[in-house]
Amino acid sequence: MSDPRPGRRLSRAFFDRSAPEVARDLLGAYVFSTVDGARTGGRIVETEAYLGREDPGSHAHTRVPTERNAVMYAAPGMTYVYFTYGQHHMLNLVTEAVGTPSAVLIRAVQPTEGIDVMRRRRHGVPDRSLADGPGKVAAALGLTLADNGAALGEGRLELRAGPTPAEEIVVTGRVGLTEGHDLPLRFLLGGHPGVSRGRTGPKKPKPRR
DNA sequence: GCGCCGATTGGCT
DNA sequence: GCCAATCGGCGCC
C-alpha cells in the first residue's frame, strides 16, 4: 500500500511561475480540503494548464476580466472554482503574478485521506472513480463556489508537497475544449489508474463522408 | 472497454 | 439564445 507522505505546504512562490511549470510540478503533490469538519484529499495525478489571454482555451482568452474569471487575474495560489454544465464544479489554482490570468486545473486525485467521506459524497461509484476527473475531484472534496477566490492557505484547501513521482510524466493535449485542445498542456502520471478518461481531440469531430 | 447521448444551470454575446 | 475546461448510463463488441 502506498502511504501518504505529504510534505510542507506549497508556497506562494511555487505558484508564481508559468502555468505549465506549476501544472507539471503539482503532479505527486497533495491537495486536502476540510469541509463540514471532514478532512479529505489525496495525491494529484493529472492537471491542465491554462495560459491567459493568448490561450484560446482559457476563460481569460481575449477578455477583459468578468465576474467569473476575475480570480484568474489575482494572486498566485488563489483558488479559482467555477460551475459548468449546470452541475459540475472545477478546481483550479491561480499561477503567475497578479494581473496575469493563468491557472492550473486539477483533473484527477488519488484519494488517500477521508476516503469514507468521499465515498459518501460520490454515492455509489467504485473507489477508482472517486476523483478521476475534474468534476469528480470537486465533488469528492466537497468544494463549491464558496471556495472560489480563497487566498493560498486561508480557505478550506491545503496544498502540500509530495515525493517526486516515480511514474513517468506524460504530456498531451487538453480535454473537452473546442479551441486549443492541440496544445501540449495536459500533464499526467503515465500508467496511473486514477487519471481521467478524457479525450484529447477536437470536441466536434470533422464531418464524415 | 469504448462511444454516444441527455442532463441542467449560469455566463456571455 | 447558445453552449460549456463534464458525468454517468446505456448499448454494443
Side-chain angles (χ1 to χ4, degrees), chain A residues 81-92:
Chain A
V81 177
Y82 68 89
F83 182 72
T84 190
Y85 288 104
Q87 44 207 7
H88 303 299
H89 295 277
M90 303 284 140
L91 169 63
N92 299 254

Side-chain angles (χ1 to χ4, degrees), chain A residues 168-185:
Chain A
E168 177 192 13
I169 292 180
V170 175
V171 186
T172 76
R174 292 174 296 184
V175 174
L177 306 183
T178 45
E179 306 269 357
H181 56 275
D182 47 330
L183 301 172
L185 295 174

Side-chain angles (χ1 to χ4, degrees), chain A residues 9-95:
Chain A
R9 282 174 178 269
L10 296 180
S11 67
R12 175 174 171 133
F14 178 92
F15 295 98
D16 194 4
R17 298 180 291 148
S18 76
E21 287 179 272
V22 174
R24 183 191 60 220
D25 290 350
L26 276 175
L27 295 177
Y30 288 82
V31 58
F32 301 105
S33 74
T34 302
V35 174
D36 295 333
R39 183 178 164 89
T40 56
R43 183 171 179 247
I44 297 170
V45 298
E46 179 182 344
T47 59
E48 272 177 1
Y50 288 87
L51 302 181
R53 294 190 186 87
E54 71 280 12
D55 178 356
S58 171
H59 287 168
H61 178 52
T62 65
R63 271 181 225 155
V64 170
T66 64
E67 196 169 328
R68 180 174 69 156
N69 70 19
V71 174
M72 290 186 78
Y73 292 79
M78 186 166 269
T79 57
Y80 171 41
V81 177
Y82 68 89
F83 182 72
T84 190
Y85 288 104
Q87 44 207 7
H88 303 299
H89 295 277
M90 303 284 140
L91 169 63
N92 299 254
L93 298 163
V94 173
T95 67

Side-chain angles (χ1 to χ4, degrees), chain A residues 114-190:
Chain A
I115 297 182
D116 51 335
V117 173
M118 291 194 265
R119 286 188 185 118
R120 205 174 314 138
R121 288 179 180 146
R122 297 274 300 121
H123 191 59
V125 308
D127 279 5
R128 67 176 297 139
S129 299
L130 286 176
D132 63 342
K136 304 177 194 180
V137 168
L141 294 179
L143 303 179
T144 69
L145 288 180
D147 295 285
N148 185 46
L152 185 62
E154 293 189 348
R156 308 197 285 185
L157 277 182
E158 184 180 304
L159 289 147
R160 288 189 177 272
T164 300
E167 299 94 331
E168 177 192 13
I169 292 180
V170 175
V171 186
T172 76
R174 292 174 296 184
V175 174
L177 306 183
T178 45
E179 306 269 357
H181 56 275
D182 47 330
L183 301 172
L185 295 174
R186 177 187 181 218
F187 300 81
L188 56 98
L189 296 180

